[in-house]
Amino acid sequence: SSIEKVVYSPRESANPEFSEIITCKSLRETTAIVTVAISLYNYRDYIISCLESVKSQTLRDLDLIIVDDCSTDDSLTVTADWLEKNESAFRDVLLIRHKSNRGLSYARNTAFAHARTDFVFVLDADNLLYPRCLDRLIDGLKRCDASFAYCLLEKFGEETGIENTRAWNPIALQHGNFIDAMVLHRKAVWERAGGYATDMPAMGWEDFDLWFRIAGIGGWGLQIPEILARYRVRRSSMLHTVTNPNVEKLWAYLRAKHPESFVI
């Protein structure tokens, strides 16, 4: 079906110069608990299974925001068609398209700028959630003052194993990233930390930089020691093709931005 742009002026004010709202459906007047924020770029083969996993959440009180970073395939049409059939599963639904390809940080920042809830879950379009994922993460955050909550991740695809196995330890960040971007954030803390950096020398470590920022304002992450989500491993992914070849530049960036975190 054709994509119809729905004008919605209050949210249009967030970055209108490089983004446009494609679909906006507000189905209930009350506010949801969690926004699921999905960044999408040329993932037409994966986005439907990702969306179905969000729809299957036992936590029903959800908003859904998808930011298409100017995909060159038909990801946008595929997504719009799915939303048309499944919008009633969510409170608010928002599909935003960047007018030009801006990169992962901008896509995530756009989603956060439009989120109305106190909690935002970051999800890449090729990953999957188990049904109890958001229920368990929000329960953890409600029991403490953690800045974000994360779970164990089951790797699948071209590699198998378990990720996110380490508890929060800001001192250990100087040795490498041990928490994937797929976490449930308190939006207020995310804002105080400055959001995702848009000046990094290569894409892929935006979340890593954010952990330093959160640590720098005294924030922390809560690990929920359960396998609640699935992380797809692909050799053709951005991590392998863009991030890894630029590791030295990225480390230099982090050391320059967060010198207090690099101790002997």
Side-chain angles (χ1 to χ4, degrees), residues 41-237:
Y41 179 69
N42 289 356
Y43 274 177
R44 56 123 28 237
D45 294 333
Y46 304 113
I47 183 60
I48 298 304
S49 56
C50 174
L51 289 168
E52 288 288 346
S53 79
V54 178
K55 181 186 172 185
S56 72
Q57 290 300 293
T58 55
L59 181 67
R60 305 306 300 168
D61 217 4
L62 298 176
D63 284 357
L64 177 62
I65 296 178
I66 304 161
V67 179
D68 179 82
D69 196 26
C70 200
S71 292
T72 57
D73 64 5
D74 60 347
S75 291
L76 192 65
T77 303
V78 168
T79 301
D81 288 346
W82 187 92
L83 291 176
E84 192 176 328
K85 298 180 183 77
N86 296 278
E87 63 185 31
S88 61
F90 309 96
R91 285 189 182 259
D92 283 5
V93 174
L94 196 59
L95 175 60
I96 303 168
R97 174 185 173 270
H98 281 173
K99 297 175 183 176
S100 61
N101 181 254
R102 308 283 298 189
L104 187 57
S105 289
Y106 280 99
R108 289 181 180 159
N109 286 344
T110 294
F112 270 88
H114 287 80
R116 293 172 166 176
T117 58
D118 293 335
F119 302 94
V120 179
F121 183 82
V122 173
L123 182 59
D124 291 330
D126 59 341
N127 292 333
L128 304 168
L129 307 182
Y130 282 120
R132 295 171 65 247
C133 180
L134 298 179
D135 246 333
R136 297 292 295 125
L137 294 178
I138 195 71
D139 181 66
L141 285 183
K142 286 182 174 180
R143 293 171 183 269
C144 65
D145 66 349
S147 308
F148 63 89
Y150 62 102
C151 63
L152 301 182
L153 299 179
E154 174 192 7
K155 293 194 290 187
F156 73 107
E158 296 178 27
E159 191 179 318
T160 59
I162 305 296
E163 290 280 351
N164 280 1
T165 57
R166 298 174 64 181
W168 172 257
N169 178 2
I171 296 173
L173 289 172
Q174 63 185 308
H175 303 300
N177 189 15
F178 53 90
I179 303 174
D180 182 69
M182 208 184 327
V183 311
L184 180 63
H185 288 277
R186 289 188 198 274
K187 188 184 178 190
V189 178
W190 178 92
E191 288 175 341
R192 205 158 75 244
Y196 291 100
T198 56
D199 63 343
M200 299 188 77
M203 289 190 295
W205 279 12
E206 296 83 2
D207 50 312
F208 192 13
D209 173 72
L210 184 58
W211 311 149
F212 283 101
R213 290 165 177 251
I214 289 173
I217 61 171
W220 61 288
L222 171 69
Q223 185 206 50
I224 305 297
E226 299 176 41
I227 299 172
L228 298 170
R230 307 186 75 202
Y231 177 88
R232 189 187 301 270
V233 179
R234 295 181 301 118
R235 297 284 171 242
S236 60
S237 71

Side-chain angles (χ1 to χ4, degrees), residues 175-176 200-205 208 238-255:
H175 303 300
M200 299 188 77
M203 289 190 295
W205 279 12
F208 192 13
M238 180 186 69
L239 182 67
H240 289 93
T241 60
V242 176
T243 311
N244 290 346
N246 289 286
V247 162
E248 289 185 17
K249 291 178 182 177
L250 287 164
W251 273 119
Y253 172 94
L254 291 175
R255 290 191 182 96

